[in-house]
PDB file of all heavy atoms in Angstrom:
ATOM      1  N   LYS A  76     -14.002 -11.057 -19.624  1.00 96.00           N
ATOM      2  CA  LYS A  76     -12.865 -10.383 -18.904  1.00 96.00           C
ATOM      3  C   LYS A  76     -11.513 -10.753 -19.407  1.00 96.00           C
ATOM      4  O   LYS A  76     -10.645  -9.978 -19.565  1.00 96.00           O
ATOM      5  CB  LYS A  76     -13.020 -10.610 -17.331  1.00 96.00           C
ATOM      6  CG  LYS A  76     -14.193  -9.885 -16.812  1.00 96.00           C
ATOM      7  CD  LYS A  76     -14.624 -10.393 -15.430  1.00 96.00           C
ATOM      8  CE  LYS A  76     -15.627  -9.625 -14.794  1.00 96.00           C
ATOM      9  NZ  LYS A  76     -16.921  -9.501 -15.528  1.00 96.00           N
ATOM     10  N   GLN A  77     -11.429 -12.085 -19.770  1.00 97.00           N
ATOM     11  CA  GLN A  77     -10.055 -12.496 -20.355  1.00 97.00           C
ATOM     12  C   GLN A  77      -9.875 -11.880 -21.736  1.00 97.00           C
ATOM     13  O   GLN A  77      -8.762 -11.493 -22.063  1.00 97.00           O
ATOM     14  CB  GLN A  77     -10.153 -14.065 -20.523  1.00 97.00           C
ATOM     15  CG  GLN A  77      -8.756 -14.622 -20.881  1.00 97.00           C
ATOM     16  CD  GLN A  77      -7.603 -14.207 -19.909  1.00 97.00           C
ATOM     17  OE1 GLN A  77      -7.770 -14.228 -18.745  1.00 97.00           O
ATOM     18  NE2 GLN A  77      -6.465 -13.823 -20.513  1.00 97.00           N
ATOM     19  N   LYS A  78     -10.841 -11.726 -22.582  1.00 97.00           N
ATOM     20  CA  LYS A  78     -10.621 -11.032 -23.799  1.00 97.00           C
ATOM     21  C   LYS A  78     -10.383  -9.580 -23.713  1.00 97.00           C
ATOM     22  O   LYS A  78      -9.519  -8.981 -24.409  1.00 97.00           O
ATOM     23  CB  LYS A  78     -11.886 -11.199 -24.762  1.00 97.00           C
ATOM     24  CG  LYS A  78     -11.993 -12.629 -25.411  1.00 97.00           C
ATOM     25  CD  LYS A  78     -13.101 -12.665 -26.370  1.00 97.00           C
ATOM     26  CE  LYS A  78     -13.232 -14.057 -26.825  1.00 97.00           C
ATOM     27  NZ  LYS A  78     -14.382 -14.194 -27.861  1.00 97.00           N
ATOM     28  N   PHE A  79     -10.935  -8.978 -22.652  1.00 97.00           N
ATOM     29  CA  PHE A  79     -10.733  -7.616 -22.334  1.00 97.00           C
ATOM     30  C   PHE A  79      -9.221  -7.490 -21.881  1.00 97.00           C
ATOM     31  O   PHE A  79      -8.552  -6.462 -22.484  1.00 97.00           O
ATOM     32  CB  PHE A  79     -11.504  -7.048 -21.190  1.00 97.00           C
ATOM     33  CG  PHE A  79     -11.365  -5.642 -20.802  1.00 97.00           C
ATOM     34  CD1 PHE A  79     -12.122  -4.600 -21.466  1.00 97.00           C
ATOM     35  CD2 PHE A  79     -10.551  -5.309 -19.859  1.00 97.00           C
ATOM     36  CE1 PHE A  79     -11.913  -3.348 -21.112  1.00 97.00           C
ATOM     37  CE2 PHE A  79     -10.395  -4.034 -19.507  1.00 97.00           C
ATOM     38  CZ  PHE A  79     -10.965  -2.989 -20.103  1.00 97.00           C
ATOM     39  N   ILE A  80      -8.701  -8.277 -21.015  1.00 97.00           N
ATOM     40  CA  ILE A  80      -7.358  -8.295 -20.628  1.00 97.00           C
ATOM     41  C   ILE A  80      -6.412  -8.374 -21.844  1.00 97.00           C
ATOM     42  O   ILE A  80      -5.437  -7.582 -21.964  1.00 97.00           O
ATOM     43  CB  ILE A  80      -7.059  -9.404 -19.574  1.00 97.00           C
ATOM     44  CG1 ILE A  80      -7.711  -9.099 -18.199  1.00 97.00           C
ATOM     45  CG2 ILE A  80      -5.536  -9.589 -19.401  1.00 97.00           C
ATOM     46  CD1 ILE A  80      -7.844 -10.264 -17.363  1.00 97.00           C
ATOM     47  N   GLU A  81      -6.699  -9.299 -22.744  1.00 97.00           N
ATOM     48  CA  GLU A  81      -5.740  -9.582 -23.850  1.00 97.00           C
ATOM     49  C   GLU A  81      -5.892  -8.247 -24.873  1.00 97.00           C
ATOM     50  O   GLU A  81      -4.827  -7.779 -25.343  1.00 97.00           O
ATOM     51  CB  GLU A  81      -6.303 -10.782 -24.676  1.00 97.00           C
ATOM     52  CG  GLU A  81      -5.923 -12.090 -23.801  1.00 97.00           C
ATOM     53  CD  GLU A  81      -6.725 -13.265 -24.363  1.00 97.00           C
ATOM     54  OE1 GLU A  81      -7.264 -13.226 -25.427  1.00 97.00           O
ATOM     55  OE2 GLU A  81      -6.642 -14.348 -23.596  1.00 97.00           O
ATOM     56  N   ARG A  82      -7.076  -7.869 -25.158  1.00 97.00           N
ATOM     57  CA  ARG A  82      -7.304  -6.732 -26.099  1.00 97.00           C
ATOM     58  C   ARG A  82      -6.590  -5.463 -25.692  1.00 97.00           C
ATOM     59  O   ARG A  82      -5.975  -4.714 -26.388  1.00 97.00           O
ATOM     60  CB  ARG A  82      -8.730  -6.535 -26.360  1.00 97.00           C
ATOM     61  CG  ARG A  82      -9.084  -5.326 -27.023  1.00 97.00           C
ATOM     62  CD  ARG A  82      -8.644  -5.315 -28.554  1.00 97.00           C
ATOM     63  NE  ARG A  82      -8.979  -4.191 -29.397  1.00 97.00           N
ATOM     64  CZ  ARG A  82      -8.289  -2.997 -29.433  1.00 97.00           C
ATOM     65  NH1 ARG A  82      -7.064  -2.893 -28.673  1.00 97.00           N
ATOM     66  NH2 ARG A  82      -8.700  -2.072 -30.225  1.00 97.00           N
ATOM     67  N   PHE A  83      -6.674  -5.081 -24.185  1.00 97.00           N
ATOM     68  CA  PHE A  83      -6.116  -3.895 -23.722  1.00 97.00           C
ATOM     69  C   PHE A  83      -4.874  -4.103 -22.921  1.00 97.00           C
ATOM     70  O   PHE A  83      -4.421  -3.130 -22.315  1.00 97.00           O
ATOM     71  CB  PHE A  83      -7.215  -3.259 -22.979  1.00 97.00           C
ATOM     72  CG  PHE A  83      -8.333  -2.700 -23.809  1.00 97.00           C
ATOM     73  CD1 PHE A  83      -9.531  -3.475 -23.809  1.00 97.00           C
ATOM     74  CD2 PHE A  83      -8.207  -1.562 -24.498  1.00 97.00           C
ATOM     75  CE1 PHE A  83     -10.585  -2.964 -24.566  1.00 97.00           C
ATOM     76  CE2 PHE A  83      -9.330  -1.105 -25.306  1.00 97.00           C
ATOM     77  CZ  PHE A  83     -10.343  -1.885 -25.374  1.00 97.00           C
ATOM     78  N   ASN A  84      -4.212  -5.264 -23.193  1.00 97.00           N
ATOM     79  CA  ASN A  84      -2.899  -5.627 -22.503  1.00 97.00           C
ATOM     80  C   ASN A  84      -2.920  -5.147 -21.051  1.00 97.00           C
ATOM     81  O   ASN A  84      -1.979  -4.490 -20.581  1.00 97.00           O
ATOM     82  CB  ASN A  84      -1.882  -4.968 -23.306  1.00 97.00           C
ATOM     83  CG  ASN A  84      -0.472  -5.495 -22.940  1.00 97.00           C
ATOM     84  OD1 ASN A  84      -0.410  -6.688 -22.620  1.00 97.00           O
ATOM     85  ND2 ASN A  84       0.583  -4.690 -23.170  1.00 97.00           N
ATOM     86  N   VAL A  85      -3.803  -5.616 -20.323  1.00 97.00           N
ATOM     87  CA  VAL A  85      -3.978  -5.243 -18.895  1.00 97.00           C
ATOM     88  C   VAL A  85      -2.936  -6.101 -18.086  1.00 97.00           C
ATOM     89  O   VAL A  85      -2.840  -7.249 -18.210  1.00 97.00           O
ATOM     90  CB  VAL A  85      -5.419  -5.639 -18.288  1.00 97.00           C
ATOM     91  CG1 VAL A  85      -5.545  -5.433 -16.839  1.00 97.00           C
ATOM     92  CG2 VAL A  85      -6.422  -4.961 -19.058  1.00 97.00           C
ATOM     93  N   SER A  86      -2.309  -5.427 -17.234  1.00 96.00           N
ATOM     94  CA  SER A  86      -1.182  -5.905 -16.453  1.00 96.00           C
ATOM     95  C   SER A  86      -1.790  -6.983 -15.470  1.00 96.00           C
ATOM     96  O   SER A  86      -2.897  -6.972 -14.994  1.00 96.00           O
ATOM     97  CB  SER A  86      -0.415  -4.911 -15.668  1.00 96.00           C
ATOM     98  OG  SER A  86       0.295  -5.461 -14.508  1.00 96.00           O
ATOM     99  N   ASP A  87      -0.990  -8.039 -15.068  1.00 92.00           N
ATOM    100  CA  ASP A  87      -1.437  -9.048 -14.139  1.00 92.00           C
ATOM    101  C   ASP A  87      -1.798  -8.477 -12.769  1.00 92.00           C
ATOM    102  O   ASP A  87      -2.523  -9.033 -11.909  1.00 92.00           O
ATOM    103  CB  ASP A  87      -0.364 -10.049 -13.924  1.00 92.00           C
ATOM    104  CG  ASP A  87      -0.191 -10.943 -15.166  1.00 92.00           C
ATOM    105  OD1 ASP A  87      -1.091 -11.042 -15.981  1.00 92.00           O
ATOM    106  OD2 ASP A  87       0.815 -11.743 -15.162  1.00 92.00           O
ATOM    107  N   ARG A  88      -1.191  -7.289 -12.536  1.00 88.00           N
ATOM    108  CA  ARG A  88      -1.520  -6.531 -11.218  1.00 88.00           C
ATOM    109  C   ARG A  88      -2.940  -6.129 -11.111  1.00 88.00           C
ATOM    110  O   ARG A  88      -3.489  -5.995 -10.005  1.00 88.00           O
ATOM    111  CB  ARG A  88      -0.713  -5.231 -11.115  1.00 88.00           C
ATOM    112  CG  ARG A  88      -0.869  -4.504  -9.938  1.00 88.00           C
ATOM    113  CD  ARG A  88       0.039  -3.325  -9.962  1.00 88.00           C
ATOM    114  NE  ARG A  88      -0.242  -2.594  -8.706  1.00 88.00           N
ATOM    115  CZ  ARG A  88      -0.118  -1.278  -8.599  1.00 88.00           C
ATOM    116  NH1 ARG A  88       0.212  -0.530  -9.536  1.00 88.00           N
ATOM    117  NH2 ARG A  88      -0.382  -0.810  -7.313  1.00 88.00           N
ATOM    118  N   TYR A  89      -3.652  -6.098 -12.221  1.00 92.00           N
ATOM    119  CA  TYR A  89      -5.122  -5.577 -12.211  1.00 92.00           C
ATOM    120  C   TYR A  89      -6.119  -6.742 -12.753  1.00 92.00           C
ATOM    121  O   TYR A  89      -5.581  -7.602 -13.371  1.00 92.00           O
ATOM    122  CB  TYR A  89      -5.297  -4.441 -13.209  1.00 92.00           C
ATOM    123  CG  TYR A  89      -4.407  -3.304 -12.876  1.00 92.00           C
ATOM    124  CD1 TYR A  89      -3.267  -2.969 -13.587  1.00 92.00           C
ATOM    125  CD2 TYR A  89      -4.700  -2.545 -11.780  1.00 92.00           C
ATOM    126  CE1 TYR A  89      -2.389  -1.887 -13.286  1.00 92.00           C
ATOM    127  CE2 TYR A  89      -3.799  -1.403 -11.434  1.00 92.00           C
ATOM    128  CZ  TYR A  89      -2.687  -1.128 -12.185  1.00 92.00           C
ATOM    129  OH  TYR A  89      -1.908  -0.089 -11.909  1.00 92.00           O
ATOM    130  N   PHE A  90      -7.274  -6.587 -12.339  1.00 93.00           N
ATOM    131  CA  PHE A  90      -8.375  -7.548 -12.889  1.00 93.00           C
ATOM    132  C   PHE A  90      -9.601  -6.771 -13.205  1.00 93.00           C
ATOM    133  O   PHE A  90      -9.952  -5.838 -12.333  1.00 93.00           O
ATOM    134  CB  PHE A  90      -8.548  -8.684 -11.891  1.00 93.00           C
ATOM    135  CG  PHE A  90      -9.206  -8.409 -10.581  1.00 93.00           C
ATOM    136  CD1 PHE A  90     -10.537  -8.559 -10.403  1.00 93.00           C
ATOM    137  CD2 PHE A  90      -8.386  -7.915  -9.560  1.00 93.00           C
ATOM    138  CE1 PHE A  90     -11.155  -8.291  -9.164  1.00 93.00           C
ATOM    139  CE2 PHE A  90      -8.890  -7.617  -8.327  1.00 93.00           C
ATOM    140  CZ  PHE A  90     -10.248  -7.748  -8.178  1.00 93.00           C
ATOM    141  N   PRO A  91     -10.172  -7.007 -14.414  1.00 96.00           N
ATOM    142  CA  PRO A  91     -11.338  -6.222 -14.662  1.00 96.00           C
ATOM    143  C   PRO A  91     -12.573  -6.582 -13.876  1.00 96.00           C
ATOM    144  O   PRO A  91     -12.740  -7.850 -13.598  1.00 96.00           O
ATOM    145  CB  PRO A  91     -11.538  -6.437 -16.204  1.00 96.00           C
ATOM    146  CG  PRO A  91     -10.821  -7.748 -16.318  1.00 96.00           C
ATOM    147  CD  PRO A  91      -9.831  -7.859 -15.415  1.00 96.00           C
ATOM    148  N   ILE A  92     -13.450  -5.701 -13.525  1.00 95.00           N
ATOM    149  CA  ILE A  92     -14.587  -5.833 -12.634  1.00 95.00           C
ATOM    150  C   ILE A  92     -15.813  -5.332 -13.385  1.00 95.00           C
ATOM    151  O   ILE A  92     -16.724  -6.077 -13.395  1.00 95.00           O
ATOM    152  CB  ILE A  92     -14.451  -5.142 -11.318  1.00 95.00           C
ATOM    153  CG1 ILE A  92     -13.238  -5.728 -10.513  1.00 95.00           C
ATOM    154  CG2 ILE A  92     -15.733  -5.248 -10.497  1.00 95.00           C
ATOM    155  CD1 ILE A  92     -12.969  -4.965  -9.167  1.00 95.00           C
ATOM    156  N   LEU A  93     -15.720  -4.198 -13.854  1.00 95.00           N
ATOM    157  CA  LEU A  93     -16.868  -3.471 -14.495  1.00 95.00           C
ATOM    158  C   LEU A  93     -16.490  -2.554 -15.498  1.00 95.00           C
ATOM    159  O   LEU A  93     -15.427  -1.907 -15.439  1.00 95.00           O
ATOM    160  CB  LEU A  93     -17.562  -2.665 -13.398  1.00 95.00           C
ATOM    161  CG  LEU A  93     -18.741  -1.836 -13.739  1.00 95.00           C
ATOM    162  CD1 LEU A  93     -20.082  -2.552 -13.129  1.00 95.00           C
ATOM    163  CD2 LEU A  93     -18.618  -0.596 -13.169  1.00 95.00           C
ATOM    164  N   LEU A  94     -17.251  -2.499 -16.579  1.00 96.00           N
ATOM    165  CA  LEU A  94     -17.128  -1.403 -17.700  1.00 96.00           C
ATOM    166  C   LEU A  94     -18.161  -0.414 -17.419  1.00 96.00           C
ATOM    167  O   LEU A  94     -19.238  -0.803 -17.140  1.00 96.00           O
ATOM    168  CB  LEU A  94     -17.085  -2.000 -19.034  1.00 96.00           C
ATOM    169  CG  LEU A  94     -16.135  -3.093 -19.448  1.00 96.00           C
ATOM    170  CD1 LEU A  94     -16.434  -3.608 -20.837  1.00 96.00           C
ATOM    171  CD2 LEU A  94     -14.725  -2.527 -19.315  1.00 96.00           C
ATOM    172  N   LEU A  95     -17.972   0.803 -17.517  1.00 96.00           N
ATOM    173  CA  LEU A  95     -18.906   1.850 -17.263  1.00 96.00           C
ATOM    174  C   LEU A  95     -18.899   2.821 -18.496  1.00 96.00           C
ATOM    175  O   LEU A  95     -17.874   3.584 -18.729  1.00 96.00           O
ATOM    176  CB  LEU A  95     -18.563   2.590 -16.037  1.00 96.00           C
ATOM    177  CG  LEU A  95     -19.567   3.712 -15.508  1.00 96.00           C
ATOM    178  CD1 LEU A  95     -20.955   3.162 -15.282  1.00 96.00           C
ATOM    179  CD2 LEU A  95     -18.988   4.377 -14.304  1.00 96.00           C
ATOM    180  N   GLN A  96     -20.023   2.783 -19.211  1.00 95.00           N
ATOM    181  CA  GLN A  96     -20.181   3.688 -20.291  1.00 95.00           C
ATOM    182  C   GLN A  96     -20.851   4.984 -19.686  1.00 95.00           C
ATOM    183  O   GLN A  96     -21.730   4.897 -18.932  1.00 95.00           O
ATOM    184  CB  GLN A  96     -21.098   3.141 -21.355  1.00 95.00           C
ATOM    185  CG  GLN A  96     -20.567   2.029 -22.135  1.00 95.00           C
ATOM    186  CD  GLN A  96     -21.583   1.523 -23.236  1.00 95.00           C
ATOM    187  OE1 GLN A  96     -22.785   1.709 -23.093  1.00 95.00           O
ATOM    188  NE2 GLN A  96     -21.099   0.923 -24.194  1.00 95.00           N
ATOM    189  N   ILE A  97     -20.169   6.216 -20.172  1.00 97.00           N
ATOM    190  CA  ILE A  97     -20.709   7.467 -19.754  1.00 97.00           C
ATOM    191  C   ILE A  97     -20.898   8.222 -21.067  1.00 97.00           C
ATOM    192  O   ILE A  97     -19.933   8.313 -21.871  1.00 97.00           O
ATOM    193  CB  ILE A  97     -19.840   8.090 -18.937  1.00 97.00           C
ATOM    194  CG1 ILE A  97     -19.541   7.256 -17.577  1.00 97.00           C
ATOM    195  CG2 ILE A  97     -20.321   9.447 -18.465  1.00 97.00           C
ATOM    196  CD1 ILE A  97     -18.587   7.892 -16.584  1.00 97.00           C
ATOM    197  N   GLY A  98     -22.081   8.772 -21.242  1.00 97.00           N
ATOM    198  CA  GLY A  98     -22.360   9.601 -22.486  1.00 97.00           C
ATOM    199  C   GLY A  98     -23.726  10.213 -22.413  1.00 97.00           C
ATOM    200  O   GLY A  98     -24.461  10.128 -21.485  1.00 97.00           O
ATOM    201  N   LYS A  99     -24.086  10.665 -23.517  1.00 96.00           N
ATOM    202  CA  LYS A  99     -25.538  11.088 -23.815  1.00 96.00           C
ATOM    203  C   LYS A  99     -26.257   9.914 -24.405  1.00 96.00           C
ATOM    204  O   LYS A  99     -25.812   9.350 -25.344  1.00 96.00           O
ATOM    205  CB  LYS A  99     -25.581  12.436 -24.648  1.00 96.00           C
ATOM    206  CG  LYS A  99     -24.838  13.525 -24.241  1.00 96.00           C
ATOM    207  CD  LYS A  99     -25.610  14.113 -23.043  1.00 96.00           C
ATOM    208  CE  LYS A  99     -25.085  15.454 -22.563  1.00 96.00           C
ATOM    209  NZ  LYS A  99     -25.839  16.275 -21.667  1.00 96.00           N
ATOM    210  N   ALA A 100     -27.501   9.642 -23.914  1.00 91.00           N
ATOM    211  CA  ALA A 100     -28.299   8.600 -24.421  1.00 91.00           C
ATOM    212  C   ALA A 100     -28.832   8.879 -25.829  1.00 91.00           C
ATOM    213  O   ALA A 100     -29.155  10.072 -26.086  1.00 91.00           O
ATOM    214  CB  ALA A 100     -29.423   8.435 -23.448  1.00 91.00           C
ATOM    215  N   ALA A 101     -28.821   7.890 -26.707  1.00 91.00           N
ATOM    216  CA  ALA A 101     -29.227   7.951 -27.942  1.00 91.00           C
ATOM    217  C   ALA A 101     -30.807   8.008 -28.048  1.00 91.00           C
ATOM    218  O   ALA A 101     -31.516   8.543 -28.900  1.00 91.00           O
ATOM    219  CB  ALA A 101     -28.777   6.958 -28.910  1.00 91.00           C
ATOM    220  N   ALA A 102     -31.410   7.375 -26.971  1.00 91.00           N
ATOM    221  CA  ALA A 102     -32.793   7.309 -26.905  1.00 91.00           C
ATOM    222  C   ALA A 102     -33.190   7.198 -25.430  1.00 91.00           C
ATOM    223  O   ALA A 102     -32.343   6.848 -24.564  1.00 91.00           O
ATOM    224  CB  ALA A 102     -33.369   6.001 -27.548  1.00 91.00           C
ATOM    225  N   PRO A 103     -34.319   7.581 -25.058  1.00 88.00           N
ATOM    226  CA  PRO A 103     -34.852   7.495 -23.606  1.00 88.00           C
ATOM    227  C   PRO A 103     -34.609   6.034 -23.086  1.00 88.00           C
ATOM    228  O   PRO A 103     -34.967   5.093 -23.804  1.00 88.00           O
ATOM    229  CB  PRO A 103     -36.157   8.026 -23.499  1.00 88.00           C
ATOM    230  CG  PRO A 103     -36.415   8.677 -24.808  1.00 88.00           C
ATOM    231  CD  PRO A 103     -35.449   8.068 -25.847  1.00 88.00           C
ATOM    232  N   ALA A 104     -34.185   5.952 -21.822  1.00 84.00           N
ATOM    233  CA  ALA A 104     -34.097   4.617 -21.183  1.00 84.00           C
ATOM    234  C   ALA A 104     -35.439   4.135 -20.850  1.00 84.00           C
ATOM    235  O   ALA A 104     -36.361   4.942 -20.619  1.00 84.00           O
ATOM    236  CB  ALA A 104     -33.264   4.674 -19.958  1.00 84.00           C
ATOM    237  N   HIS A 105     -35.615   2.793 -20.734  1.00 87.00           N
ATOM    238  CA  HIS A 105     -36.886   2.270 -20.358  1.00 87.00           C
ATOM    239  C   HIS A 105     -37.063   2.256 -18.861  1.00 87.00           C
ATOM    240  O   HIS A 105     -35.984   2.280 -18.185  1.00 87.00           O
ATOM    241  CB  HIS A 105     -37.020   0.800 -21.016  1.00 87.00           C
ATOM    242  CG  HIS A 105     -36.087  -0.128 -20.440  1.00 87.00           C
ATOM    243  ND1 HIS A 105     -36.098  -0.734 -19.225  1.00 87.00           N
ATOM    244  CD2 HIS A 105     -34.907  -0.585 -21.072  1.00 87.00           C
ATOM    245  CE1 HIS A 105     -35.031  -1.463 -19.065  1.00 87.00           C
ATOM    246  NE2 HIS A 105     -34.237  -1.437 -20.210  1.00 87.00           N
ATOM    247  N   ASN A 106     -38.245   2.379 -18.432  1.00 90.00           N
ATOM    248  CA  ASN A 106     -38.442   2.359 -16.985  1.00 90.00           C
ATOM    249  C   ASN A 106     -38.141   1.017 -16.367  1.00 90.00           C
ATOM    250  O   ASN A 106     -38.284  -0.087 -17.076  1.00 90.00           O
ATOM    251  CB  ASN A 106     -39.934   2.788 -16.566  1.00 90.00           C
ATOM    252  CG  ASN A 106     -40.116   4.372 -16.789  1.00 90.00           C
ATOM    253  OD1 ASN A 106     -39.195   5.116 -16.725  1.00 90.00           O
ATOM    254  ND2 ASN A 106     -41.253   4.723 -17.195  1.00 90.00           N
ATOM    255  N   THR A 107     -37.795   1.017 -15.098  1.00 90.00           N
ATOM    256  CA  THR A 107     -37.588  -0.369 -14.353  1.00 90.00           C
ATOM    257  C   THR A 107     -38.460  -0.274 -13.110  1.00 90.00           C
ATOM    258  O   THR A 107     -38.860   0.755 -12.708  1.00 90.00           O
ATOM    259  CB  THR A 107     -36.116  -0.464 -14.046  1.00 90.00           C
ATOM    260  OG1 THR A 107     -35.662   0.559 -13.186  1.00 90.00           O
ATOM    261  CG2 THR A 107     -35.309  -0.518 -15.357  1.00 90.00           C
ATOM    262  N   THR A 108     -38.444  -1.463 -12.574  1.00 93.00           N
ATOM    263  CA  THR A 108     -39.229  -1.585 -11.207  1.00 93.00           C
ATOM    264  C   THR A 108     -38.238  -2.129 -10.254  1.00 93.00           C
ATOM    265  O   THR A 108     -37.210  -2.765 -10.712  1.00 93.00           O
ATOM    266  CB  THR A 108     -40.487  -2.508 -11.360  1.00 93.00           C
ATOM    267  OG1 THR A 108     -39.910  -3.850 -11.822  1.00 93.00           O
ATOM    268  CG2 THR A 108     -41.462  -2.087 -12.310  1.00 93.00           C
ATOM    269  N   ARG A 109     -38.555  -2.003  -9.038  1.00 92.00           N
ATOM    270  CA  ARG A 109     -37.771  -2.597  -7.953  1.00 92.00           C
ATOM    271  C   ARG A 109     -38.625  -3.300  -7.037  1.00 92.00           C
ATOM    272  O   ARG A 109     -39.848  -2.947  -6.817  1.00 92.00           O
ATOM    273  CB  ARG A 109     -36.988  -1.436  -7.124  1.00 92.00           C
ATOM    274  CG  ARG A 109     -36.027  -0.557  -7.939  1.00 92.00           C
ATOM    275  CD  ARG A 109     -34.921  -1.360  -8.322  1.00 92.00           C
ATOM    276  NE  ARG A 109     -33.872  -0.658  -9.046  1.00 92.00           N
ATOM    277  CZ  ARG A 109     -33.589  -0.660 -10.385  1.00 92.00           C
ATOM    278  NH1 ARG A 109     -34.332  -1.431 -11.058  1.00 92.00           N
ATOM    279  NH2 ARG A 109     -32.645  -0.011 -10.885  1.00 92.00           N
ATOM    280  N   LEU A 110     -38.101  -4.314  -6.456  1.00 93.00           N
ATOM    281  CA  LEU A 110     -38.853  -5.140  -5.386  1.00 93.00           C
ATOM    282  C   LEU A 110     -39.076  -4.194  -4.094  1.00 93.00           C
ATOM    283  O   LEU A 110     -38.200  -3.423  -3.797  1.00 93.00           O
ATOM    284  CB  LEU A 110     -38.217  -6.376  -5.080  1.00 93.00           C
ATOM    285  CG  LEU A 110     -38.023  -7.386  -6.100  1.00 93.00           C
ATOM    286  CD1 LEU A 110     -36.958  -8.421  -5.669  1.00 93.00           C
ATOM    287  CD2 LEU A 110     -39.328  -7.968  -6.566  1.00 93.00           C
ATOM    288  N   PRO A 111     -40.191  -4.466  -3.540  1.00 93.00           N
ATOM    289  CA  PRO A 111     -40.422  -3.693  -2.359  1.00 93.00           C
ATOM    290  C   PRO A 111     -39.392  -4.064  -1.254  1.00 93.00           C
ATOM    291  O   PRO A 111     -38.854  -5.200  -1.198  1.00 93.00           O
ATOM    292  CB  PRO A 111     -41.774  -4.191  -1.780  1.00 93.00           C
ATOM    293  CG  PRO A 111     -42.474  -4.813  -2.968  1.00 93.00           C
ATOM    294  CD  PRO A 111     -41.251  -5.297  -3.879  1.00 93.00           C
TER     295      PRO A 111
END
Side-chain angles (χ1 to χ4, degrees):
K76 292 167 177 52
Q77 187 56 44
K78 284 185 181 177
F79 181 87
I80 289 168
E81 292 167 7
R82 170 65 176 88
F83 293 99
N84 197 28
V85 177
S86 165
D87 289 345
R88 178 176 182 214
Y89 303 105
F90 66 100
I92 297 170
L93 177 111
L94 298 177
L95 182 59
Q96 291 182 334
I97 301 177
K99 296 287 185 174
H105 60 82
N106 287 328
T107 61
T108 60
R109 298 289 184 257
L110 294 173

